Amino acid sequence: MDHDSLMFIFLNALLINNLVLALFLGLCPFVGVSSKINTAWPMGLAVIVVMLVASVCAYGINILLVHFEIEYLRLISYIAVIASAVQLVEMTIKKFSPTLFRLLGIYLPLITTNCAILGMALFQTFDEYSFTQSLAYSLGAGGGFMLALVLMAGLRERLELANVPDVATSAAIAFMLAGLLSLAFMGFAGLGG
Amino acid sequence: MPAPKHDAPVSLDTLKAGVWKENPVFIMLLGLCPALAVSNTAVNSLAMGLASTFVLLGASFLISLFRNVIPKQVRIASYIIIIATFVTVVDYTIHALSLELYNALGAFIQLIVVNCMILGRCEAYASKHRVSTTMVNAVGMGAGFTLALFLVGSIREILGFGTFFGIPLFGPDFQVWAVFILPPGGFIVLSLWLVLFAAIQRKRDRMAAGKEGAYGS
């Protein structure tokens, strides 16, 4: 497959270099929100939306920064954009589904400090993706986050019925599961050819 | 805010709290992303730990200094900007000092900005305490974070490369356990450390509660 093609970039972000399971980004919400499928998938959707907005904005900002040769402001401006995008999503969810808003709780505003989103914006800049490539990348990255989150939630719901040793607190066993899931995702490494 | 006359004992406790009792990674589960992403060798994890500690110290100092000036409504945004400034400093410093390290850590230096450990400490501690207390606490927290990264990184390097700080530990016949330097190994090693910490904590609690329950864990 052509490494610049949109399909490759999308699949790469979705499966091969999955943000959570291969690059360790966005672990806090991954562990925090993945105990129920009911909260996992809306959280995933929220992240996808923020990713798309952040990706488009980051692309535009980067052009400006390069034009004025002030790349050292990249980090600060990206963070500001992501924070505003999160605010937008937060207000939308609060308006349309107060129940969901309460379920997601503290993790919704914390999407701002979700390293998956800043990581995605930085990676797309470093890899010098074009506009459409950036879109494909952010869609894949967000989708990958959601995929990992929902799979993990499914596993953890099953785990509630299992007999886990006392010392393995919920986080410890969750990381063990994540390790196995990550091992499974390594199987996609050959997909790029 | 602690009373000034109790400064010395409070400081010692605040220092120790970050290393063990409130260890940011193993107990509070903060700052996990860098703890796993760059901890495939002992050197990388030490560098990452020190860089994060520097940012934590700088940001805590400024935030504690200006804690009465920053308006409540925009505090998170102000904290992020302060943290981002220090991260940019660290980023350029590492770039200038060691290109090799810079390439190994990659985007994860810049991602210190979104390390929830740092923002968490700024919000929960620096914004409410005097500069001196804050700094002592930040040193403890930074040390605890570095220690945690170092513990995860050492195990992964020893098992995954068969080396420690680049020095071969085993004979040439050692079959490296490659999975430990790959992503799954990070999750698994962290999980095992969490179990260990929980087990030790439990044993201590039992000892404190009464002698009858204090058999091995």
Side-chain angles (χ1 to χ4, degrees), chain A residues 4-48:
Chain A
D4 284 333
S5 76
L6 294 181
M7 199 58 196
F8 178 80
I9 290 173
F10 177 75
L11 283 180
N12 182 36
L14 185 71
L15 299 173
I16 305 167
N17 280 316
N18 187 290
L19 283 181
V20 180
L21 297 170
L23 299 175
F24 301 115
L25 294 172
L27 288 180
C28 307
F30 179 64
V31 175
V33 195
S34 65
S35 49
K36 291 264 181 303
I37 293 187
N38 286 346
T39 49
W41 71 263
M43 181 68 182
L45 280 183
V47 169
I48 292 181

Side-chain angles (χ1 to χ4, degrees), chain B residues 141-215:
Chain B
M141 280 291 161
F145 185 70
T146 313
L147 177 76
L149 253 70
F150 180 68
L151 288 176
V152 175
S154 312
I155 298 287
R156 290 181 71 186
E157 184 178 347
I158 290 171
L159 293 177
F161 287 112
T163 62
F164 189 54
F165 282 108
I167 304 158
L169 287 183
F170 311 104
D173 296 333
F174 180 68
Q175 182 68 45
V176 292
W177 217 345
V179 71
F180 278 100
I181 48 171
L182 295 169
F187 284 117
I188 291 169
V189 170
L190 179 71
S191 161
L192 294 176
W193 277 116
L194 286 176
V195 169
L196 187 67
F197 259 64
I200 295 174
Q201 194 70 41
R202 182 158 302 213
K203 200 174 174 187
R204 281 188 162 191
D205 288 349
R206 243 185 278 158
M207 293 246 242
K211 282 156 196 117
E212 71 270 22
Y215 42 86

Side-chain angles (χ1 to χ4, degrees), chain B:
Chain B
M1 202 184 294
K5 56 180 176 178
H6 294 132
D7 199 26
V10 164
S11 292
L12 193 63
D13 271 350
T14 41
L15 181 67
K16 280 197 301 194
V19 183
W20 180 262
K21 225 186 232 161
E22 296 175 18
N23 187 296
V25 177
F26 292 143
I27 306 292
M28 299 202 294
L29 299 175
L30 293 174
L32 292 170
C33 314
L36 292 176
V38 293
S39 66
N40 50 5
T41 68
V43 176
N44 284 357
S45 49
L46 261 191
M48 189 64 190
L50 291 179
S52 305
T53 306
F54 171 76
V55 175
L56 179 63
L57 284 177
S60 295
F61 176 73
L62 274 189
I63 289 166
S64 181
L65 200 60
F66 294 123
R67 69 183 184 282
N68 295 324
V69 184
I70 299 173
K72 272 271 177 296
Q73 294 83 356
V74 292
R75 65 183 196 287
I76 301 287
S78 327
Y79 298 167
I80 287 276
I81 300 291
I82 292 174
I83 295 170
T85 314
F86 281 101
V87 171
T88 311
V89 171
V90 167
D91 186 43
Y92 279 68
T93 312
I94 295 183
H95 201 170
L97 287 180
S98 165
L99 200 59
E100 196 188 340
L101 194 60
Y102 186 79
N103 289 333
L105 296 181
F108 284 97
I109 306 173
Q110 303 205 1
L111 285 174
I112 296 178
V113 159
V114 281
N115 186 332
C116 31
M117 186 269 285
I118 295 176
L119 190 67
R121 287 328 287 169
C122 291
E123 162 77 6
Y125 207 90
S127 63
K128 297 190 185 86
H129 291 82
R130 281 176 301 124
V131 176
S132 54
T133 329
T134 302
M135 292 311 280
V136 172
N137 182 266
V139 170
M141 280 291 161
F145 185 70
T146 313
L147 177 76
L149 253 70
F150 180 68
L151 288 176
V152 175
S154 312
I155 298 287
R156 290 181 71 186
E157 184 178 347
I158 290 171
L159 293 177
F161 287 112
T163 62
F164 189 54
F165 282 108
I167 304 158
L169 287 183
F170 311 104
D173 296 333
F174 180 68
Q175 182 68 45
V176 292
W177 217 345
V179 71
F180 278 100
I181 48 171
L182 295 169
F187 284 117
I188 291 169
V189 170
L190 179 71
S191 161
L192 294 176
W193 277 116
L194 286 176
V195 169
L196 187 67
F197 259 64
I200 295 174
Q201 194 70 41
R202 182 158 302 213
K203 200 174 174 187
R204 281 188 162 191
D205 288 349
R206 243 185 278 158
M207 293 246 242
K211 282 156 196 117
E212 71 270 22
Y215 42 86
S217 60

Side-chain angles (χ1 to χ4, degrees), chain A residues 6 55-57 59-60 63 124 129-137:
Chain A
L6 294 181
S55 167
V56 172
C57 297
Y59 184 78
I63 292 177
Q124 91 176 25
Y129 285 146
S130 72
F131 184 69
T132 44
Q133 282 173 330
S134 298
L135 275 185
Y137 184 67

